[in-house]
Amino acid sequence: MMSNAIVMALAPVFFVLLLGYAAGKLHIVDNHQVDGLNALVMDFALPASLFAATASASRSQMIEQAPLFLVFGVTMLLLYVAWYFAVRTFSNVSRSDASLQALTIGFPNLAGVGLPIVSSVLGPTGTVPVAVALASGSILISPLTLIIVEMSRGKAHGAEMSVMQILTAIRRALTKPIVLAPALGILLSLSDLKLDALADACLSLIESAGVALFLTGLILSAQSFQLDWKVVAATAASDVIRPLLAVAVVYFFPISSEAAKTAILLAAVPSGFFGILFAVNYRLDSATAGSMVIASTGFSIATMAIAIAVLFSH
């Protein structure tokens, strides 16, 4: 029974991922010209999903998710900071590329993999915690990455950045749709205002985790996979250390057992594609992040199955 639930949770996710990968490899879709699809996902589909999911939750539901937001945010930040400083210390990597790698490892693929898996395991109620977890990453470490990248770009065009240039970089990062949408959705939910049925219907037509997952596969098909110590370490950090870190963080925070299980399951989701998409946007190194995501996603077939079996076998 449990093995069937695991297959039902994982198979559709990897089917769509492989579909995008095959579409790129077979040249059905041009995997080197993904700017349009990238804009669709990052500026429209994902922000719409995040806003609709958070804004449609009641105030009490959103307050109940506060511990999850905190636990997941702390887990991602700890892993993000650890990887950033480790890779800056032990390899010749720029600040921008280090931040993109840290984002890839710290922020799991909640939109493409987490949402369908949690919805399959928990049912329709799983949408809200996934949206809150996505919001925590979008509000905390995505802007941090964008700020580092924007500031690095500014320094590349001259000497030290002025205060105004730094503020401009921060403003650009914080006004991205992927950052604004979940923040506005949470504020709407906490204000106890209901999302209008018409607005919800309109947003539901553009939101789609499947598009994000297909795009991930499509982008990965254009990457040359290189297995080195950094990719192996990144896979271990994403698929093993992150969920174990979530277990440790849960131990120190007062959180219900159900919320704790959800947080750990979400932490077990493989590396996210935001680092790749940001790299494509800023014309940075997407190959390393791509190799990390490929390895993490493949290995997660085993680790996700173990996580689901251990957490939800009773």
Side-chain angles (χ1 to χ4, degrees), residues 14-204:
F14 288 97
F15 171 76
V16 178
L17 184 70
L18 290 172
L19 201 62
Y21 190 86
K25 281 295 185 185
L26 297 174
H27 306 294
I28 298 171
V29 181
D30 189 348
N31 57 11
H32 293 286
Q33 301 294 328
V34 296
D35 288 353
L37 278 174
N38 189 13
L40 169 64
V41 170
M42 297 299 289
D43 295 336
F44 296 97
L46 273 183
S49 294
L50 290 172
F51 179 77
T54 50
S56 60
S58 67
R59 185 178 182 180
S60 59
Q61 281 181 308
M62 191 56 65
I63 292 173
E64 286 174 7
Q65 299 300 325
L68 175 66
F69 185 97
L70 183 62
V71 165
F72 209 74
V74 169
T75 300
M76 288 189 294
L77 277 171
L78 287 174
L79 192 57
Y80 182 99
V81 171
W83 184 270
Y84 179 85
F85 285 106
V87 79
R88 287 282 294 161
T89 302
F90 298 110
S91 63
N92 185 25
V93 175
S94 69
R95 288 186 178 88
S96 294
D97 287 327
S99 67
L100 290 172
Q101 289 179 24
L103 177 66
T104 300
I105 294 161
F107 198 171
N109 192 354
L110 298 177
V113 179
L115 183 58
I117 284 178
V118 173
S119 296
S120 176
V121 173
L122 300 181
T125 57
T127 304
V128 174
V130 173
V132 169
L134 257 167
S136 69
S138 299
I139 292 169
L140 295 174
I141 63 173
S142 286
L144 178 59
T145 303
L146 291 168
I147 287 167
I148 292 172
V149 172
E150 290 282 357
M151 290 178 67
S152 297
R153 288 180 78 198
K155 285 185 178 181
H157 291 94
E160 289 298 315
M161 294 179 73
S162 67
V163 174
M164 282 303 298
Q165 288 174 313
I166 293 173
L167 291 175
T168 300
I170 294 173
R171 177 185 58 77
R172 284 177 181 166
L174 296 179
T175 53
K176 297 284 185 183
I178 199 69
V179 178
L180 279 178
L184 291 174
I186 289 173
L187 286 176
L188 190 67
S189 175
L190 291 175
S191 66
D192 216 16
L193 295 173
K194 298 293 182 184
L195 188 64
D196 181 76
L198 178 60
D200 187 55
C202 292
L203 289 170
S204 66

